[in-house]
Amino acid sequence: SHTFQILPSPKTAFPIFSYNAERTKLLGPAGSNKGFPFGSVSPEGGILVGFRFAKGTSFGGAIHAIQPIYQVDDRYVFGERHGKSGGEIETVLARSGYAVGGLNVRSGLVLNAIQVIFCEVDGYELDRTKFYQAEWVGTEGGTAYPLHSTDRIAVGVAGTMEDYLHCVGLQMATARIRK
């Protein structure tokens, strides 16, 4: 059974972000590099503002799929889902005017849990002094990995997966507003 989720429209429009997709830098990945690599970046002009996570039944509810949510100008756009189908869906979306600034990850044999860190968007940069952390999604256990960037914006995800996600990281870019 599929559950379709309608996202609200963002209250704040963002500038159109422009970056070179070939020159993104990987923050992380956190976890074991077991499995096959995956990765995707935002549609043109977009910035990462949240995720739709799917929790499985094994390992006490570890994360077995991740789907990025981007904001492009004044609308939300779902990115490609990475991982298994099904699962219990949890959506973590930034407050208006905020975007993904980093992750706290707990990972062992699988990707146990993720906590998203959101920072305020200031022009085409993130204000790292104005941030908040979402609730953890996932289960107990695993080693803690902080993935915190200092100077770039998150424009995508990357990691490895087999039956479950094994590690996750963020594709970071230096963005400029398109004039």
Side-chain angles (χ1 to χ4, degrees):
S1 69
H2 289 286
T3 53
F4 290 98
Q5 192 166 6
I6 305 300
L7 292 173
S9 290
K11 292 185 179 86
T12 310
F14 282 157
I16 298 294
F17 288 86
S18 177
Y19 64 92
N20 182 341
E22 312 272 301
R23 298 194 48 201
T24 60
K25 283 210 167 101
L26 183 60
L27 179 62
S32 80
N33 286 321
K34 186 178 170 187
F36 310 96
F38 68 82
S40 60
V41 294
S42 69
E44 195 170 349
I47 181 175
L48 188 62
V49 293
F51 298 97
R52 199 155 62 168
F53 298 108
K55 297 189 305 182
T57 51
S58 305
F59 302 100
I63 296 172
H64 77 201
I66 184 170
Q67 183 175 24
I69 302 170
Y70 302 105
Q71 184 173 339
V72 181
D73 188 22
D74 62 351
R75 69 187 197 282
Y76 293 125
V77 179
F78 282 112
E80 183 184 346
R81 179 180 162 135
H82 303 284
K84 279 170 63 168
S85 61
E88 180 191 331
I89 303 294
E90 274 195 50
T91 301
V92 178
L93 186 63
R95 293 177 196 149
S96 180
Y98 282 73
V100 174
L103 301 174
N104 289 318
V105 176
R106 288 200 316 260
S107 185
L109 294 172
V110 296
L111 194 60
N112 296 70
I114 295 178
Q115 180 184 47
V116 184
I117 301 161
F118 294 108
C119 296
E120 190 175 70
V121 175
D122 179 10
Y124 54 88
E125 295 178 340
L126 298 183
D127 185 341
R128 308 265 171 214
T129 66
K130 295 180 182 163
F131 72 94
Y132 71 97
Q133 299 180 150
E135 295 291 319
W136 282 92
V137 176
T139 187
E140 298 299 313
T143 304
Y145 298 90
L147 298 181
H148 304 175
S149 175
T150 54
D151 60 342
R152 290 169 179 256
I153 60 163
V155 295
V157 294
T160 61
M161 64 185 189
E162 256 177 346
D163 288 337
Y164 268 71
L165 297 187
H166 289 286
C167 69
V168 70
L170 293 173
Q171 302 273 16
M172 308 298 286
T174 302
R176 295 286 175 263
I177 295 175
R178 198 172 294 122
K179 299 288 184 248

